[in-house]
Amino acid sequence: MRSSGRNNDSGRGNYRGAGNQRDEKQQRAGRPRPEERRYDVGGTGGPGGKDERGGSKGGGPKSGGPKSGGSRGAAARGGAKGGPRTGAKSGPGAKGGPKGGPQRGRGQAPARPREYDAQVEERNRARHNKPQVKTPKTFGDQEGERLQKVLARAGMGSRRACEELIDQARVEVNGQIVMEQGVRVDPEKDEIKVDGLTVATQSYLFFALNKPAGVVSTMEDPDGRQCLGDYVTNRETRLFHVGRLDTETEGIILLTNHGELAHRLTHPRYGVKKTYLAAIQGPLPRDLGKQLKDGIQLEDGYARADHFRVVENTGKNYLVEVTLHEGRKHIVRRMLSEAGFPVDKLVRTSFGPIALGDQKSGWLRRMTNTEVGMLMREVEL
């Protein structure tokens, strides 16, 4: 029995010797000895506490402190159940450095020196400061707009309809008939015509108003009387009237923001004709028309009519039509009054090629592109 005891002691001795050798190897490798390891399980036990078996002596459930982590396995996995998990390794040889030390994020790039950033910026500027290569117009933005688009915007119809106008050789640009699609034009500079009539491609407005009697032929009246401006409110641009009509004279008067057209329509050089219907009392002599055409002497010179005819006769009431190209003040009233026939009522029925038609008194309408083209042809625009 004694010999067996010695044998057992020698076995324990050998075991302790092997353990000491293993501890020495761990120390050389930088790893702590097993009894020196500590596991953070949320407890506050000291080195002598029972952290591996369920909490320290001072912080366990029996002492009234917070309940610490359960087993050594849970602690070895990185923390108590429900708490934050710590790193897998905390020794000096662990990946990422010692426990608690600063660790670089996975997606964080290393900081670059300022000199390198300056060099990169300088290279980028040099690359973008190279002279721009001029590409052919086929690959870039061409000058001007397509002709069919300009015509459609001017109100000549849809783009498809305007393309058909081009195919029918009805469109000309700067005096040349366009025979192919895709021609580009400058609507501000090029002269565009359809069927010989100029198309107003710019942002111009053209209106015809049937002015009632009692309306002053001004856009604003300081005396507060009814004027032309009362019929063109809420317009985007300022309009002005072409010529004038007497306050008691009714009929057509044109409004536009095209200054050159308005100037030419009222200039004596272009001789734009205006037609009036006048109600007078008879009987009329047979040569009244000849007198008006030959000229009537007025205080400011002779005034001649271009055309005269009797439209209607009921007893002594006559309705006559007078056409002339002059635009002096009260010209029709003064001519008939000088001939011996004062005017009871006067209406202007046409201004150049623009006729009043069945337009009601006080109504304002926008002129068609054909009418605008006829007006421009009348004054050589």
Side-chain angles (χ1 to χ4, degrees), residues 98-143:
K99 180 180 178 181
Q103 297 184 2
R104 189 178 302 279
R106 180 178 298 178
Q108 186 176 359
R112 297 186 302 188
R114 295 184 178 179
E115 292 79 4
Y116 180 76
D117 290 338
Q119 293 176 2
V120 171
E121 185 176 357
E122 186 176 356
R123 285 197 299 268
N124 291 337
R125 289 182 179 178
R127 182 171 67 252
H128 291 291
N129 288 336
K130 292 181 180 179
Q132 186 177 3
V133 179
K134 293 185 178 180
T135 58
K137 290 185 177 180
T138 308
F139 303 99
D141 294 335
Q142 301 184 19
E143 297 180 358

Side-chain angles (χ1 to χ4, degrees), residues 265 270-276 306-307 322-326 348 350-354 378:
L265 287 174
Y270 298 97
V272 179
K273 294 181 179 181
K274 281 81 69 176
T275 302
Y276 298 84
D306 297 313
H307 178 73
V322 181
T323 301
L324 43 79
H325 61 272
E326 295 191 45
R348 185 161 67 184
S350 68
F351 191 109
I354 311 302
E378 191 81 11

Side-chain angles (χ1 to χ4, degrees), residues 297-365:
Q297 178 66 41
L298 302 177
E299 62 272 13
D300 54 353
Y302 273 92
R304 295 179 175 86
D306 297 313
H307 178 73
F308 174 85
R309 73 184 180 97
V310 177
V311 177
E312 185 179 327
N313 176 25
T314 306
K316 293 184 178 181
N317 298 321
Y318 284 83
L319 189 64
V320 298
E321 182 182 83
V322 181
T323 301
L324 43 79
H325 61 272
E326 295 191 45
R328 283 183 279 176
K329 185 176 181 181
H330 306 305
I331 184 67
V332 177
R333 290 181 182 272
R334 289 193 294 159
M335 287 177 65
L336 290 174
S337 180
E338 188 68 25
F341 303 95
V343 175
D344 297 331
K345 185 177 180 180
L346 188 64
V347 178
R348 185 161 67 184
T349 57
S350 68
F351 191 109
I354 311 302
L356 182 63
D358 58 353
Q359 185 175 348
K360 295 182 180 180
S361 178
W363 281 32
L364 180 75
R365 69 174 180 87

Side-chain angles (χ1 to χ4, degrees), residues 79-109:
K81 184 177 180 181
R85 298 175 61 89
T86 59
K89 294 183 179 181
S90 59
K95 185 177 180 181
K99 180 180 178 181
Q103 297 184 2
R104 189 178 302 279
R106 180 178 298 178
Q108 186 176 359

Side-chain angles (χ1 to χ4, degrees), residues 204-223:
Y204 291 126
L205 299 176
F206 306 90
F207 294 95
L209 171 67
N210 186 356
K211 186 188 85 66
V215 177
V216 183
S217 294
T218 57
M219 301 306 294
E220 296 180 0
D221 185 67
D223 298 331

Side-chain angles (χ1 to χ4, degrees), residues 19-37 92-93:
N20 293 334
Q21 294 177 0
R22 184 175 62 221
D23 294 341
E24 293 175 359
K25 291 180 179 181
Q26 291 178 350
Q27 291 177 357
R28 287 195 300 270
R31 292 192 296 269
R33 297 175 60 184
E35 59 270 16
E36 295 177 356
R37 292 177 181 173

Side-chain angles (χ1 to χ4, degrees), residues 80-297:
K81 184 177 180 181
R85 298 175 61 89
T86 59
K89 294 183 179 181
S90 59
K95 185 177 180 181
K99 180 180 178 181
Q103 297 184 2
R104 189 178 302 279
R106 180 178 298 178
Q108 186 176 359
R112 297 186 302 188
R114 295 184 178 179
E115 292 79 4
Y116 180 76
D117 290 338
Q119 293 176 2
V120 171
E121 185 176 357
E122 186 176 356
R123 285 197 299 268
N124 291 337
R125 289 182 179 178
R127 182 171 67 252
H128 291 291
N129 288 336
K130 292 181 180 179
Q132 186 177 3
V133 179
K134 293 185 178 180
T135 58
K137 290 185 177 180
T138 308
F139 303 99
D141 294 335
Q142 301 184 19
E143 297 180 358
E145 296 182 76
R146 292 184 180 273
L147 179 58
Q148 59 266 34
K149 182 179 178 182
V150 175
L151 292 174
R153 188 174 65 245
M156 300 303 298
S158 63
R159 292 192 185 183
R160 179 56 184 165
C162 295
E163 291 175 356
E164 293 178 358
L165 292 176
I166 297 174
D167 292 336
Q168 297 168 4
R170 298 169 58 186
V171 182
E172 58 181 276
V173 178
N174 299 328
Q176 299 292 328
I177 297 178
V178 180
M179 304 298 297
E180 59 182 4
Q181 301 289 342
V183 175
R184 291 184 175 268
V185 296
D186 185 352
E188 298 293 334
K189 299 179 180 179
D190 296 329
E191 182 184 32
I192 304 173
K193 294 184 177 181
V194 176
D195 297 332
L197 300 179
T198 304
V199 178
T201 56
Q202 297 84 358
S203 56
Y204 291 126
L205 299 176
F206 306 90
F207 294 95
L209 171 67
N210 186 356
K211 186 188 85 66
V215 177
V216 183
S217 294
T218 57
M219 301 306 294
E220 296 180 0
D221 185 67
D223 298 331
R225 294 174 295 178
Q226 190 175 9
C227 61
L228 301 177
D230 298 333
Y231 295 89
V232 293
T233 56
N234 299 327
R235 296 293 172 187
E236 299 174 354
T237 58
R238 181 178 178 270
L239 300 176
F240 41 88
H241 52 88
V242 180
R244 292 177 179 270
L245 281 177
D246 305 337
T247 304
E248 298 303 323
T249 301
E250 306 176 25
I252 187 169
I253 186 169
L254 306 182
L255 306 171
T256 183
N257 60 347
H258 196 303
E260 181 62 23
L261 177 63
H263 171 71
R264 295 194 180 192
L265 287 174
T266 55
H267 198 283
R269 171 188 172 186
Y270 298 97
V272 179
K273 294 181 179 181
K274 281 81 69 176
T275 302
Y276 298 84
L277 281 178
I280 58 177
Q281 297 292 325
L284 302 182
R286 290 181 179 271
D287 63 342
L288 178 58
K290 184 177 183 302
Q291 295 180 28
L292 296 176
K293 292 179 182 179
D294 291 341
I296 302 294
Q297 178 66 41

